[in-house]
Amino acid sequence: KERGMASAETAAEHERILREIESTDTNCIGPTLRSVYDGQDHGLFMDKLEGRIRNHDREIEKMCNHHFQGFVDSITELLKVRGEAQKLKCQVTETNQKLQNDGKELLTSMDELRQCRLQQRNIATTIDKLTHCLPVLEMYSKLQEQMRAKRYYPALRTLEQLEGSCLPQAGSYRFCAIMAENIPRLRTHIRDVSMSDLKDFLESIRKHSDKIGETAMKQAQVQIARDNAVTSQQRSASGQRIRKEVCSGTEVDRNGSNPFSEKYSGILDVEDEEVSEERLISIPGAQDLVDFSPVYRCLHIYTVLGARDTFENYYRKQRRKQARLVLQPHSNMVRPLTLPKHIFFVVEDHILHTTQGLVNRAYVEELWELALSKTIAALRTHSSYCTDPDLILDLKNLIVLFADTLQGYGFPVNQLFDMLLEMRDQYGEILLKKWNQSFRQILDQDNYSPIPVASPEEYQRIAGQCPFQDPELDKMPFPKKLPFSEFVPKVYSQLKEFIYACLKYSEDLHLSSTEIDDMIRKSTNLLLTRTLSHCLHYAIKKKNVGLAELVQIIINTTHLEQSCHYLEEFISNITNVPPDTINATKLYGTSTFKDARHAAEEEIYTNLNKKIDQFLQLADYDWMAAQGGGQASDYLSDLIAFLCSTFAVFTHLPGKVAQTACMSACKHLSTSLLQLLLEADVRQVSMGALQQFNVDVKECERFARAGPVPGFQGDTLLLAFIDLRQLLDLFTQWDWSTYLADYGRPTCKYLRVNPHTALALLEKMKDTSRKNNMFAQFRKNERDKQKLIDTVVKQLRNLIATNQA
């Protein structure tokens, strides 16, 4: 049973294979046959294959037998057609030959036409290629021309266009490849050349920074001068008049120039009165002096090359280096600072406003802060070495012009003006030192004599230098003398010059009139209270100064004191600030001259006393003289004569100075005479010596009674000798009983006699030699006299002891 099932399966498989062979292309029959040979029943399969072939052969034979008659008929018809076909062939051959013969010319023409068409196509292709290549060549030629003309930015643009559009359109040609290879080298060359031009530009502006800065400062200066000219035209007539007065007595005006128009003389001489718009326009700007095209070109080139950041960083770095180099302080501090170099910010400002992003406001402000700090430090160091006020003033004017110039470009300059206000104190100290020398020179050169005036012109000249009004003197005929010496107009002129010097520094500092007025008044007060006061005291206290000189100093200071209110008006007029303004500083000139006058008066009193002491040193009394002479001592006569001549000069002194001096001299003379009488070296005094001393005192009283100085009422001057007079009367009249009886009473005749003084003098009248002289003891008068003296001495001692208890 199992064998039967296997045989059925084999038969079915063989049937499938046969159907597959029948339906499959012979090229793909290999796998089917392999499956037969892989099996074991290929013999059986071959039998079935042969049987199938026989079946197909029988079917083919049947089909052929069925169609045989139609085939025979078709062959018969085909044989008939062969003859006709031969005829047709001959006809076609003949026709072809004719056609070939007739078409040779056409073929020739067609061949010529083909060649022509080929040439036309080649020409069109060539034209098309040239159309694409010629722009490349033209652009490359243009590039070469731009490179030769050093027009690098257009060349870079041309290069970019050549690389981006022209070369790709031209195709793959050898010259295009060469051009493409040259493009990076050309870019590098353009970049290097533009950087070289930038370096040359940086070097150029470094070298020409002085010229650039000077030009910028000239522009600012001309603008300031024009503004000042407009301001000067609006000044009031009174202001112009007072300025004329200011300049009348100064050396500056005598040289023929107007100090009010002298500004920034170290930079440019500009007339305040005539400044035209054309002159302002004619001064070139920074863009006219410097070719900025290298910067713009290099910026554009680096922008196109995509390296703008590199260029910006390089430019800023180089400019910082230049700034530090310019701002380095010069080792020679005496040499004026070259501030125009510091105005390389004019270039930066121009770059800031003509480029986009090369420098920004933050960078410029940072660089300005650096420059400003270094500039201020250098200026402070430099100014500290200056001892000349003119140099300080020139430096101030230069700084002001520098600040105004940069302020016009938008830079903050408040620190510079603050520094100028600091320098103002130093300038004031230098002025004080200079004026100290001037005052001392005036005092040393003065002859301390009234000024002789020979003509009205000379009188007006002096009155113009120093305000002076004296109606009585005006009525006197010429020649006449002014009461003061040359010292007064010279000092007053120097005071005005000092005020004007202070005013010159305060100009253009953007200060208000009140601030300027306050500054001038404070500086003038320092000049009066410190400098002039010291100089006056120096002149008063110096050695060998005579009484006549001291008297003239008093007269001079009196006139200067009277002129102080003119100085007040002078300052108010030049500052346009009324003197009665609230919080306005007042001048201390009155107190200064009063103090100097008082010092001179005290010096007169001191010198008079010293002179009196010198005469008293010549006194040579015979203290043991038996009786006095009838005439005053020679030294006292000379002293009285000296006092008379001296007090005659004092008549010109103001107020009660002469009276005070005379009273002081008489008191000192009285006191000195009393001290001379009581000094310890005088051990014994005789009555004859007292009589001679009394004669000298009477001579002094006659001098006092004669009134050497007018103004004393009655015998006021005699009171200076009353102590000495009562003492001498007590001894010469020997009126001890009255003295002792009335002592202490207001009506006492000898009220001014001190018991101690009387006792000291009485002790000197004792005869100390009588104890050793045996003959003197037998003289009754002498013994009685000595006893009386002893008695009075005892009474005086008791009186003193009682008063002390």
Short mmCIF file of all heavy atoms in Angstrom, two decimals, residues 628-665:
data_model
loop_
_atom_site.label_atom_id
_atom_site.label_comp_id
_atom_site.label_asym_id
_atom_site.label_seq_id
_atom_site.Cartn_x
_atom_site.Cartn_y
_atom_site.Cartn_z
N GLY A 628 75.34 175.81 91.18
CA GLY A 628 75.00 175.59 89.79
C GLY A 628 75.33 176.77 88.91
O GLY A 628 75.51 177.89 89.38
N GLY A 629 75.39 176.48 87.57
CA GLY A 629 75.66 177.54 86.61
C GLY A 629 74.39 178.28 86.26
O GLY A 629 73.27 177.87 86.57
N GLY A 630 74.55 179.35 85.57
CA GLY A 630 73.40 180.15 85.19
C GLY A 630 72.80 179.76 83.85
O GLY A 630 71.75 180.29 83.46
N GLN A 631 73.47 178.85 83.13
CA GLN A 631 72.99 178.47 81.79
C GLN A 631 72.73 176.95 81.74
O GLN A 631 73.30 176.18 82.53
CB GLN A 631 74.04 178.82 80.73
CG GLN A 631 74.28 180.32 80.59
CD GLN A 631 75.32 180.63 79.53
OE1 GLN A 631 75.98 179.71 79.02
NE2 GLN A 631 75.46 181.90 79.20
N ALA A 632 71.84 176.56 80.76
CA ALA A 632 71.54 175.14 80.59
C ALA A 632 72.76 174.41 80.05
O ALA A 632 73.63 175.00 79.39
CB ALA A 632 70.36 174.97 79.65
N SER A 633 72.81 173.14 80.34
CA SER A 633 73.92 172.31 79.86
C SER A 633 73.93 172.28 78.33
O SER A 633 72.89 172.41 77.66
CB SER A 633 73.79 170.89 80.41
OG SER A 633 73.76 170.90 81.82
N ASP A 634 75.13 172.09 77.79
CA ASP A 634 75.27 172.08 76.33
C ASP A 634 74.46 170.94 75.69
O ASP A 634 73.82 171.13 74.65
CB ASP A 634 76.75 171.95 75.95
CG ASP A 634 77.54 173.18 76.37
OD1 ASP A 634 76.92 174.24 76.56
OD2 ASP A 634 78.78 173.07 76.49
N TYR A 635 74.54 169.76 76.30
CA TYR A 635 73.83 168.61 75.69
C TYR A 635 72.33 168.88 75.63
O TYR A 635 71.65 168.52 74.67
CB TYR A 635 74.12 167.34 76.49
CG TYR A 635 73.21 167.13 77.68
CD1 TYR A 635 72.03 166.40 77.56
CD2 TYR A 635 73.51 167.70 78.92
CE1 TYR A 635 71.19 166.23 78.65
CE2 TYR A 635 72.67 167.54 80.00
CZ TYR A 635 71.51 166.79 79.88
OH TYR A 635 70.68 166.62 80.93
N LEU A 636 71.80 169.56 76.65
CA LEU A 636 70.38 169.83 76.70
C LEU A 636 69.99 170.90 75.68
O LEU A 636 68.94 170.83 75.05
CB LEU A 636 69.95 170.24 78.10
CG LEU A 636 68.44 170.32 78.32
CD1 LEU A 636 67.82 168.93 78.17
CD2 LEU A 636 68.12 170.90 79.68
N SER A 637 70.87 171.86 75.51
CA SER A 637 70.60 172.90 74.49
C SER A 637 70.56 172.27 73.11
O SER A 637 69.68 172.59 72.29
CB SER A 637 71.68 173.98 74.56
OG SER A 637 71.68 174.60 75.83
N ASP A 638 71.51 171.37 72.87
CA ASP A 638 71.50 170.67 71.57
C ASP A 638 70.25 169.81 71.42
O ASP A 638 69.66 169.72 70.33
CB ASP A 638 72.75 169.81 71.42
CG ASP A 638 74.03 170.63 71.39
OD1 ASP A 638 73.92 171.83 71.08
OD2 ASP A 638 75.10 170.07 71.68
N LEU A 639 69.84 169.17 72.49
CA LEU A 639 68.66 168.33 72.44
C LEU A 639 67.42 169.17 72.15
O LEU A 639 66.56 168.78 71.33
CB LEU A 639 68.50 167.58 73.77
CG LEU A 639 67.22 166.76 73.96
CD1 LEU A 639 67.08 165.71 72.86
CD2 LEU A 639 67.20 166.11 75.33
N ILE A 640 67.30 170.30 72.81
CA ILE A 640 66.15 171.18 72.58
C ILE A 640 66.14 171.67 71.14
O ILE A 640 65.09 171.74 70.49
CB ILE A 640 66.15 172.35 73.57
CG1 ILE A 640 66.01 171.85 75.02
CG2 ILE A 640 65.03 173.32 73.25
CD1 ILE A 640 64.75 171.08 75.27
N ALA A 641 67.30 172.02 70.63
CA ALA A 641 67.37 172.48 69.23
C ALA A 641 66.95 171.37 68.27
O ALA A 641 66.22 171.60 67.28
CB ALA A 641 68.79 172.94 68.92
N PHE A 642 67.40 170.14 68.56
CA PHE A 642 67.01 169.00 67.72
C PHE A 642 65.50 168.78 67.76
O PHE A 642 64.86 168.58 66.71
CB PHE A 642 67.74 167.74 68.20
CG PHE A 642 67.16 166.47 67.66
CD1 PHE A 642 67.36 166.09 66.35
CD2 PHE A 642 66.37 165.67 68.48
CE1 PHE A 642 66.80 164.91 65.86
CE2 PHE A 642 65.80 164.50 67.99
CZ PHE A 642 66.03 164.12 66.67
N LEU A 643 64.92 168.87 68.93
CA LEU A 643 63.48 168.66 69.06
C LEU A 643 62.70 169.76 68.33
O LEU A 643 61.67 169.49 67.70
CB LEU A 643 63.07 168.61 70.52
CG LEU A 643 63.56 167.38 71.32
CD1 LEU A 643 63.17 167.50 72.79
CD2 LEU A 643 63.00 166.11 70.73
N CYS A 644 63.18 170.96 68.41
CA CYS A 644 62.49 172.06 67.70
C CYS A 644 62.49 171.84 66.20
O CYS A 644 61.47 172.02 65.52
CB CYS A 644 63.16 173.40 68.06
SG CYS A 644 62.86 173.92 69.76
N SER A 645 63.66 171.48 65.67
CA SER A 645 63.75 171.26 64.22
C SER A 645 62.91 170.04 63.80
O SER A 645 62.30 170.02 62.73
CB SER A 645 65.21 171.06 63.80
OG SER A 645 65.76 169.93 64.45
N THR A 646 62.91 169.02 64.66
CA THR A 646 62.15 167.80 64.34
C THR A 646 60.66 168.08 64.34
O THR A 646 59.92 167.71 63.41
CB THR A 646 62.48 166.69 65.34
OG1 THR A 646 63.87 166.40 65.27
CG2 THR A 646 61.66 165.44 65.03
N PHE A 647 60.17 168.75 65.36
CA PHE A 647 58.75 169.02 65.45
C PHE A 647 58.28 170.01 64.40
O PHE A 647 57.08 170.07 64.08
CB PHE A 647 58.38 169.51 66.85
CG PHE A 647 58.53 168.45 67.91
CD1 PHE A 647 59.03 168.75 69.16
CD2 PHE A 647 58.18 167.14 67.63
CE1 PHE A 647 59.17 167.78 70.13
CE2 PHE A 647 58.31 166.16 68.60
CZ PHE A 647 58.80 166.46 69.85
N ALA A 648 59.20 170.77 63.85
CA ALA A 648 58.83 171.66 62.75
C ALA A 648 58.42 170.85 61.52
O ALA A 648 57.56 171.27 60.74
CB ALA A 648 60.00 172.60 62.42
N VAL A 649 59.06 169.68 61.37
CA VAL A 649 58.70 168.80 60.24
C VAL A 649 57.35 168.13 60.48
O VAL A 649 56.61 167.81 59.55
CB VAL A 649 59.81 167.73 60.04
CG1 VAL A 649 59.44 166.80 58.89
CG2 VAL A 649 61.15 168.40 59.79
N PHE A 650 57.00 167.95 61.76
CA PHE A 650 55.80 167.22 62.12
C PHE A 650 54.51 167.99 61.82
O PHE A 650 53.42 167.47 61.98
CB PHE A 650 55.81 166.86 63.61
CG PHE A 650 56.74 165.73 63.93
CD1 PHE A 650 57.65 165.26 63.00
CD2 PHE A 650 56.71 165.13 65.18
CE1 PHE A 650 58.51 164.21 63.31
CE2 PHE A 650 57.56 164.08 65.50
CZ PHE A 650 58.47 163.63 64.55
N THR A 651 54.66 169.21 61.38
CA THR A 651 53.45 170.02 61.13
C THR A 651 52.59 169.45 60.01
O THR A 651 51.40 169.74 59.93
CB THR A 651 53.85 171.47 60.79
OG1 THR A 651 54.77 171.45 59.68
CG2 THR A 651 54.51 172.13 61.99
N HIS A 652 53.22 168.64 59.12
CA HIS A 652 52.48 168.06 57.99
C HIS A 652 51.79 166.75 58.38
O HIS A 652 51.05 166.19 57.56
CB HIS A 652 53.42 167.78 56.81
CG HIS A 652 54.05 169.03 56.26
ND1 HIS A 652 53.33 170.00 55.59
CD2 HIS A 652 55.34 169.46 56.30
CE1 HIS A 652 54.15 170.97 55.22
NE2 HIS A 652 55.38 170.67 55.64
N LEU A 653 52.05 166.27 59.58
CA LEU A 653 51.45 165.01 59.98
C LEU A 653 49.96 165.17 60.21
O LEU A 653 49.52 166.20 60.73
CB LEU A 653 52.11 164.47 61.25
CG LEU A 653 53.52 163.91 61.08
CD1 LEU A 653 54.09 163.55 62.44
CD2 LEU A 653 53.52 162.72 60.16
N PRO A 654 49.17 164.17 59.87
CA PRO A 654 47.72 164.28 60.06
C PRO A 654 47.33 164.06 61.51
O PRO A 654 48.03 163.41 62.28
CB PRO A 654 47.19 163.13 59.18
CG PRO A 654 48.29 162.13 59.15
CD PRO A 654 49.57 162.92 59.21
N GLY A 655 46.17 164.64 61.86
CA GLY A 655 45.61 164.38 63.18
C GLY A 655 46.48 164.88 64.30
O GLY A 655 47.09 165.94 64.25
N LYS A 656 46.54 164.09 65.38
CA LYS A 656 47.28 164.47 66.59
C LYS A 656 48.58 163.72 66.70
O LYS A 656 49.10 163.51 67.80
CB LYS A 656 46.42 164.21 67.81
CG LYS A 656 45.14 165.05 67.84
CD LYS A 656 44.35 164.81 69.10
CE LYS A 656 43.09 165.68 69.15
NZ LYS A 656 42.33 165.47 70.39
N VAL A 657 49.11 163.27 65.54
CA VAL A 657 50.36 162.51 65.58
C VAL A 657 51.49 163.39 66.10
O VAL A 657 52.29 162.96 66.95
CB VAL A 657 50.70 161.97 64.17
CG1 VAL A 657 52.03 161.23 64.19
CG2 VAL A 657 49.59 161.06 63.69
N ALA A 658 51.56 164.63 65.62
CA ALA A 658 52.63 165.52 66.06
C ALA A 658 52.50 165.82 67.55
O ALA A 658 53.50 165.82 68.29
CB ALA A 658 52.60 166.81 65.25
N GLN A 659 51.28 166.06 68.02
CA GLN A 659 51.08 166.34 69.44
C GLN A 659 51.46 165.13 70.29
O GLN A 659 52.12 165.27 71.33
CB GLN A 659 49.62 166.71 69.68
CG GLN A 659 49.17 167.96 68.94
CD GLN A 659 47.68 168.23 69.09
OE1 GLN A 659 47.05 167.65 69.97
NE2 GLN A 659 47.14 169.09 68.25
N THR A 660 51.04 163.94 69.83
CA THR A 660 51.38 162.72 70.58
C THR A 660 52.89 162.52 70.61
O THR A 660 53.46 162.14 71.66
CB THR A 660 50.70 161.51 69.93
OG1 THR A 660 49.29 161.74 69.85
CG2 THR A 660 50.95 160.25 70.74
N ALA A 661 53.54 162.75 69.47
CA ALA A 661 54.99 162.59 69.43
C ALA A 661 55.68 163.58 70.36
O ALA A 661 56.64 163.23 71.08
CB ALA A 661 55.49 162.76 68.00
N CYS A 662 55.19 164.82 70.36
CA CYS A 662 55.80 165.83 71.22
C CYS A 662 55.59 165.50 72.70
O CYS A 662 56.51 165.59 73.51
CB CYS A 662 55.20 167.20 70.88
SG CYS A 662 55.98 168.58 71.76
N MET A 663 54.37 165.10 73.05
CA MET A 663 54.09 164.73 74.43
C MET A 663 54.91 163.51 74.85
O MET A 663 55.45 163.46 75.96
CB MET A 663 52.59 164.45 74.58
CG MET A 663 52.18 164.00 75.99
SD MET A 663 52.55 165.25 77.26
CE MET A 663 51.23 166.42 76.94
N SER A 664 55.00 162.53 73.94
CA SER A 664 55.78 161.34 74.24
C SER A 664 57.25 161.68 74.46
O SER A 664 57.90 161.16 75.37
CB SER A 664 55.63 160.33 73.10
OG SER A 664 56.49 159.23 73.29
N ALA A 665 57.76 162.58 73.61
CA ALA A 665 59.18 162.96 73.74
C ALA A 665 59.42 163.69 75.06
O ALA A 665 60.42 163.44 75.76
CB ALA A 665 59.59 163.82 72.55
#
